[in-house]
Amino acid sequence: GDTATVRRIVARLESMPPERARLVASAAYTLARAAHADLDISEAEMAIIEQDLQRDGGLDEPTAVLVAEMAKLQAHTLSATEDYVVTREFATLATEAQKIDVLRACFVVSAASGSISAEESAEVNQIANELGLGADVLTRIRAEFHERMSSVQEVRRAAGR
């Protein structure tokens, strides 16, 4: 039953090289942190995190679901200090391309509701800083999500567009 499934997933994680497991876990936590910026992690945000872990983390679906759920639980219960520590650990393990992929995924997760709130935007800015990514990288990726920013959407609504 479920216990055997959980054991298989744990065995899968334990079979990874430790550095790879830490990279995947810290990436998952960073995505959950972005999702939790508005103090809620929606089903849509979880689905995106799970898909990202399968695509970029190389996890099978059951493992991705478990890792995403574990990251969600941690994001709900840990402090801002832990946010910094985990994101910095990811930054030390990841390549530049992986950092950029996670930052872009943070925007995708934040936009899952159709709009990126000011709180979510601020959290993603902080994540970019902790990843050591420059303002130019942040600006370039943020531009991809310009129309999803709640502030842009509010201006457009006010202007009647």
Side-chain angles (χ1 to χ4, degrees):
D2 290 342
T3 304
T5 300
V6 170
R7 285 189 184 128
R8 279 193 302 274
I9 293 167
V10 169
R12 166 85 169 89
L13 291 175
E14 287 178 343
S15 72
M16 288 181 168
E19 195 165 290
R20 173 96 178 114
R22 287 190 2 246
L23 177 74
V24 169
S26 58
Y29 180 85
T30 302
L31 295 175
R33 171 186 171 187
H36 191 251
D38 59 0
L39 304 181
D40 179 55
I41 301 178
S42 70
E43 287 183 30
E45 290 169 328
M46 286 298 290
I48 291 167
I49 293 169
E50 292 164 12
Q51 291 164 8
D52 192 75
L53 290 172
Q54 289 174 69
R55 185 185 63 248
D56 295 335
L59 302 180
D60 59 25
E61 184 180 10
T63 307
V65 169
L66 179 66
V67 171
E69 286 295 334
M70 290 166 54
K72 175 182 175 180
L73 177 63
Q74 296 299 303
H76 277 299
T77 58
L78 296 177
S79 68
T81 302
E82 193 71 11
D83 287 350
Y84 174 81
V85 171
V86 174
T87 304
R88 293 299 297 162
E89 177 168 6
F90 175 77
T92 63
L93 298 168
T95 64
E96 187 78 3
Q98 289 169 324
K99 292 178 200 178
I100 290 169
D101 287 347
V102 162
L103 181 63
R104 183 173 283 110
C106 286
F107 275 106
V108 172
V109 166
S110 296
S113 66
S115 180
I116 300 172
S117 70
E119 295 82 10
E120 290 167 326
S121 180
E123 191 69 26
V124 175
N125 287 351
Q126 185 62 38
I127 289 168
N129 183 50
E130 292 168 13
L131 291 176
L133 294 172
D136 57 324
V137 173
L138 175 60
T139 300
R140 186 178 75 244
I141 296 171
R142 176 182 295 288
E144 297 172 22
F145 297 89
H146 179 76
E147 294 300 321
R148 292 293 198 64
M149 297 293 171
S150 61
S151 57
V152 171
Q153 291 175 345
E154 289 168 21
V155 168
R156 297 221 190 291
R157 272 193 296 279
R161 293 190 264 150

